[in-house]
Amino acid sequence: PRTCGAPHAAASAGHDAMRGAAHLLTWHARRLTEKAKAPVWSAVWSNVQRRYGPEKFPSCDEFLRSSTDIYKYLQRELLAAENTRHLEDLCTEEMWPIIRATGVDYEKVRRQLGADECWIDWKSTEAFICSLGPPEAPPTSAAKAGEVGPGELEVAPGLEVVAGTRFFSVMSMSFAPDKVRHGIDDVIFKSAWDPDIGVRQWKIAYIGGPVQPPE
């Protein structure tokens, strides 16, 4: 049995190594693609901010900083917090059950190691804009008649703003420091749009990855 098992184990290890190498190549290729697209997204974002005004719509850099803080805070709390109820306000109503269930998935790890021993060692985190849906009002009769320009349209009530961030992270878990993971996560944020103050509060509407790191 040993002689039969050894080749199988070697083949399995070789397959895992190939998967890991392929994932790393994909991770770097996608990261370079996002870096190349970043100036375009920045220009699009700046146009939207100019349309609605900086007091109502944040700058691209400000949004990326805020979304990165929320992303890392969420990941940290899901791993370590015994009770995740305080995260509910960060999520849309539809997303909250998924976030809550993710926190429950780490319960076994917390029981074994203790919450104080469950943390994430972030090696690096880069964020790029991957989607943007500004509030748009339906054309008014005056606009249809050509009496006002597109920038003068009033914002209809009940509208939302949607913006997405793609994160490229290198990290490891405290309980598995040798397993460094290269992950890609897309986080889509939504906010109600107030005609007077603009963006009210960004909430996570989706979190997932186009590429998941191999286990």
Side-chain angles (χ1 to χ4, degrees):
R2 289 185 179 178
T3 55
C4 292
H8 176 75
S12 178
H15 178 69
D16 290 344
M18 290 180 63
R19 285 182 62 232
H23 169 75
L24 197 58
L25 286 173
T26 301
W27 188 89
H28 282 290
R30 281 182 170 267
R31 176 177 168 272
L32 289 175
T33 298
E34 295 303 322
K35 286 181 73 71
K37 293 191 298 184
V40 177
W41 275 117
S42 180
V44 171
W45 191 286
S46 295
N47 287 337
V48 174
Q49 188 188 36
R50 280 194 295 270
R51 177 178 180 180
Y52 296 105
E55 70 282 355
K56 294 184 178 181
F57 201 83
S59 69
C60 184
D61 289 342
E62 181 183 352
F63 174 77
L64 287 175
R65 284 194 300 269
S66 297
S67 61
T68 300
D69 289 342
I70 293 173
Y71 170 73
K72 295 174 76 170
Y73 175 76
L74 177 70
Q75 299 283 15
R76 182 177 71 245
E77 292 299 293
L78 286 175
L79 176 61
E82 298 287 350
N83 188 329
T84 58
R85 177 62 66 178
H86 60 293
L87 300 176
E88 184 174 6
D89 193 48
L90 297 178
C91 313
T92 61
E93 184 177 346
E94 298 79 13
M95 190 65 191
W96 169 238
I98 301 172
I99 295 296
R100 182 175 55 194
T102 302
V104 173
D105 289 342
Y106 286 110
E107 184 177 355
K108 184 178 179 181
V109 176
R110 288 193 294 268
R111 284 203 309 264
Q112 289 178 342
L113 303 177
D116 292 340
E117 297 301 322
C118 295
W119 45 273
I120 298 174
D121 181 13
W122 298 97
K123 313 294 185 184
S124 65
T125 306
E126 288 184 278
F128 302 92
I129 300 297
C130 64
S131 64
L132 177 60
E136 298 292 348
T140 64
S141 57
K144 291 178 181 178
E147 298 175 12
V148 298
E152 298 174 86
L153 294 179
E154 293 183 357
V155 177
L159 294 181
E160 291 182 326
V161 189
V162 179
T165 309
R166 180 162 294 164
F167 293 98
F168 289 76
S169 60
V170 182
M171 47 79 74
S172 62
M173 301 293 190
S174 57
F175 47 84
D178 295 333
K179 292 185 177 181
V180 178
R181 295 163 60 91
H182 290 70
I184 306 176
D185 281 317
D186 285 356
V187 182
I188 307 301
F189 296 88
K190 285 185 180 180
S191 170
W193 178 265
D194 187 305
D196 295 323
I197 66 173
V199 173
R200 294 190 62 89
Q201 179 186 353
W202 294 112
K203 289 179 177 282
I204 297 172
Y206 169 83
I207 182 168
V211 176
Q212 294 295 337
E215 298 296 334

